[in-house]
């Protein structure tokens, strides 16, 4: 297997490249235009063929910062699986995964719907790692500091993410102070919005004024 984190220190945005080195196929999660050159170089160096480009979510005002498959690979490349784009609230797929599963080489990616941060958020579970975008970073996201749906976010976190094994690693799409990695156990115990709280208390927290001095 191959795994690479592409982190932009200035913006905090983070992308992830997952590869199967036995079949030479790879998946790219939450790519950015600024990372196209380095991504191409990595794919060439590792002899990986990009088969899927996926987004956990996308903000309207940030679309010009996201990379499409044609930016990463030649237009006529054999891109096999899903490129998810969020336009007008709908998810458009080149090829729908079967039963919420997407394969690259011998690897399997589980696609989990986790709305709340934006309307059509989704997370990707690979082995012991969940790539969940800004579902848990919440007010760190510059484009959407508060959830589109507090009710859906609560359900996504408590009924999907927090029910995963405690040792599951969580990878975020946007970071504060370069912290892109945590675990289900850590977030259950210490998350400022979700740990040790009730649904009602969470809703009050979401509705509270933002602290602009932070």
């Amino acid at each position: 297997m191959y795994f690479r984190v592409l982190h932009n220190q200035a913006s905090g945005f983070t992308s992830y490249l997952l590869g199967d080195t036995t079949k030479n196929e790879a998946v790219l999660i939450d790519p950015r235009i600024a990372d196209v050159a380095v991504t191409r170089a990595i794919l060439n160096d590792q002899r990986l063929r990009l088969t899927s480009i996926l987004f956990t979510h996308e903000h309207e005002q940030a679309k010009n910062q996201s990379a499409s498959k044609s930016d990463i690979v030649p237009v006529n490349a054999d891109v096999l699986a899903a490129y998810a784009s969020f336009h007008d609230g709908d998810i458009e797929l080149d090829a729908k995964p079967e039963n919420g599963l997407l394969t690259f080489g011998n690897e399997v990616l589980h696609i989990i719907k986790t709305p709340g941060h934006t309307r059509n958020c989704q997370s990707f579970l690979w082995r012991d790692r969940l790539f969940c975008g800004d579902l848990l970073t919440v007010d760190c996201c510059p484009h959407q500091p508060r959830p589109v749906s507090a009710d859906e976010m609560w359900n996504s976190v408590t009924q999907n993410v927090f029910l995963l094994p405690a040792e599951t690693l969580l990878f975020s799409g946007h970071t504060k102070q370069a912290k892109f990695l945590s675990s289900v156990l850590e977030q259950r115990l210490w998350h400022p919005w979700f740990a040790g709280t009730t649904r009602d208390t969470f809703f009050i927290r979401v509705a509270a004024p933002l602290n602009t001095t932070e």
Side-chain angles (χ1 to χ4, degrees):
M1 61 173 279
Y2 180 83
F3 179 55
R4 181 71 176 267
V5 177
L6 301 171
H7 175 68
N8 184 281
Q9 186 173 354
S11 66
F13 290 108
T14 310
S15 304
Y16 303 95
L17 182 64
L18 290 53
D20 178 0
T21 54
T22 62
K23 296 290 187 178
N24 301 108
E25 293 184 351
V27 168
L28 185 59
I29 298 175
D30 288 338
R32 297 175 59 254
I33 288 290
D35 298 326
V36 167
V38 68
T39 303
R40 282 176 174 160
I42 293 171
L43 291 170
N44 290 333
D45 181 65
Q46 299 296 320
R47 299 181 180 179
L48 293 170
R49 179 170 60 92
L50 193 64
T51 62
S52 305
I53 297 180
L54 301 171
F55 291 90
T56 56
H57 68 290
E58 190 174 48
H59 299 286
E60 187 70 30
Q61 61 270 49
K63 282 181 181 177
N64 61 353
Q65 299 176 17
S66 298
S68 71
K69 64 190 175 193
S70 60
D71 292 316
I72 309 288
V73 295
V75 174
N76 62 352
D78 183 19
V79 179
L80 298 178
Y83 162 46
S85 60
F86 293 70
H87 299 287
D88 300 324
D90 295 322
I91 301 176
E92 301 170 355
L93 297 178
D94 291 338
K96 291 184 179 180
E98 295 184 5
N99 300 319
L101 302 178
L102 187 148
T103 60
F104 57 104
N106 294 321
E107 299 290 335
V108 178
L109 201 71
H110 297 258
I111 300 174
I112 304 170
K113 292 183 179 180
T114 50
H117 176 65
T118 63
R119 189 168 299 162
N120 290 314
C121 286
Q122 53 192 357
S123 297
F124 306 106
L125 181 64
W126 178 55
R127 297 188 175 211
D128 62 347
R129 306 169 193 196
L130 183 73
F131 303 89
C132 51
D134 285 337
L135 183 66
L136 289 165
T137 55
V138 288
D139 52 0
C140 294
C141 178
H143 301 297
Q144 186 70 45
R146 293 302 171 89
V148 166
S149 172
D151 185 61
E152 288 184 319
M153 176 176 273
W154 173 265
N155 291 336
S156 293
V157 172
T158 60
Q159 301 303 311
N160 288 323
V161 178
F162 282 5
L163 293 184
L164 292 171
E167 63 273 16
T168 303
L169 301 176
L170 302 176
F171 292 86
S172 67
H174 187 270
T175 66
K176 181 180 285 188
Q177 297 176 342
K179 183 175 174 56
F180 60 84
L181 172 62
S182 63
S183 69
V184 167
L185 178 60
E186 179 182 355
Q187 296 300 326
R188 284 179 192 161
L189 295 176
W190 302 110
H191 194 283
W193 287 29
F194 296 101
T197 191
T198 64
R199 187 188 193 97
D200 290 343
T201 302
F202 168 73
F203 288 162
I204 293 171
R205 170 68 177 85
V206 170
L210 286 170
N211 185 353
T212 58
T213 62
E214 292 183 353

